[in-house]
Amino acid sequence: DLHLSIRRQRQMCIRDRTQTECHFLGNFCDKKSCDFISGSGSNMVALVKSMQTLQFALPTLVLSNKRDAIGLNKAKDLKIPTVCIEAEKLAGCDLNFEAAIQKELENYNIDIICLAGFMRVLSSKFVDFWQGKILNIHPSLLPKFKGLNTFNRVLETNEKLSGCTVHFVDEKLDNGKIIVKKRVFIKKNFSYSM
């Protein structure tokens, strides 16, 4: 189905980024990375395995905003420390939430952040502080289909082509400088399922 095809394309996108874009990301080599997740952690697993194989960064921490995120267990299986920070536990204030995140990033001496299925928008203050050091994996060929519910929107508009994009994060949603894109052709029988 489309979701699985795009997931495979994301994983290829991650691998290709590490192989063909290392000159672009060269300043990240030997840097400590933190993957932000909210769900299953499939992107995080692909990133960590690429980092461990190609040694372009050091997977150091996995952070989630959801205590029940399946990806936290996957990270533990990969022997990567995890932390969960839920905004609701911090009176729902984004600044308190991001301050708690920042404290953990400092505790682990994190150099770069990879948003790998992190379903929360970060404030411009946080993004500015980490400018040029936050990457996002988005499940469309940006600038098309920014935001949520990407797979459904792709199918609803009868697209013939979709894919994923890895890009730097800036203050606008799914907008930063593109690092790499990978495409997948959509077959007529594709359906969306999670």
Side-chain angles (χ1 to χ4, degrees):
D1 69 358
L2 178 61
H3 182 71
L4 289 175
S5 292
I6 290 181
R7 180 178 289 165
R8 281 188 219 106
Q9 287 301 102
R10 283 186 200 170
Q11 291 169 350
M12 288 174 53
C13 194
I14 291 164
R15 282 192 300 271
D16 284 0
R17 186 198 73 202
T18 61
Q19 292 170 349
T20 63
E21 301 295 327
C22 273
H23 68 279
F24 186 67
L25 298 172
N27 60 339
F28 292 157
C29 290
D30 299 323
K31 301 291 184 184
K32 292 182 177 183
S33 74
C34 177
D35 291 352
F36 284 25
I37 65 168
S38 293
S40 71
S42 58
N43 288 333
M44 175 272 300
V45 170
L47 271 171
V48 167
K49 287 182 177 182
S50 290
M51 288 179 201
Q52 290 172 337
T53 301
L54 301 170
Q55 299 180 344
F56 72 94
L58 305 170
T60 305
L61 179 65
V62 172
L63 183 143
S64 179
N65 63 326
K66 306 262 184 202
R67 187 156 309 284
D68 60 350
I70 296 167
L72 291 171
N73 290 328
K74 292 178 182 178
K76 289 175 186 173
D77 290 344
L78 292 166
K79 310 278 189 268
I80 299 172
T82 63
V83 65
C84 180
I85 301 171
E86 295 176 296
E88 300 78 34
K89 307 286 186 207
L90 299 168
C93 178
D94 282 346
L95 295 178
N96 291 341
F97 173 68
E98 290 179 354
I101 289 174
Q102 185 63 34
K103 182 178 178 186
E104 291 296 336
L105 297 174
E106 290 170 4
N107 287 342
Y108 284 88
N109 298 310
I110 298 300
D111 300 301
I112 58 173
I113 297 168
C114 300
L115 304 181
F118 188 65
M119 304 307 289
R120 190 172 172 95
V121 176
L122 298 165
S123 73
S124 59
K125 181 178 178 181
F126 186 88
V127 170
D128 285 346
F129 183 84
W130 286 91
Q131 183 177 20
K133 296 177 182 176
I134 305 177
L135 307 174
N136 184 42
I137 304 166
H138 184 76
S140 78
L141 297 173
L142 292 174
K144 282 185 149 184
F145 303 107
K146 294 180 179 186
L148 300 175
N149 303 313
T150 305
F151 304 120
N152 285 336
R153 292 186 290 143
V154 164
L155 292 176
E156 287 170 1
T157 57
N158 296 312
E159 294 290 319
K160 292 181 176 35
L161 186 68
S162 190
C164 73
T165 304
V166 176
H167 66 95
F168 283 105
V169 173
D170 65 15
E171 67 281 351
K172 295 180 184 173
L173 182 66
D174 297 328
N175 184 71
K177 184 176 180 176
I178 292 171
I179 298 167
V180 66
K181 293 183 187 185
K182 277 295 181 182
R183 64 185 185 178
V184 60
F185 290 96
I186 300 171
K187 298 175 186 173
K188 290 182 181 179
N189 60 348
F190 269 167
S191 64
Y192 174 72
S193 63
M194 283 297 278

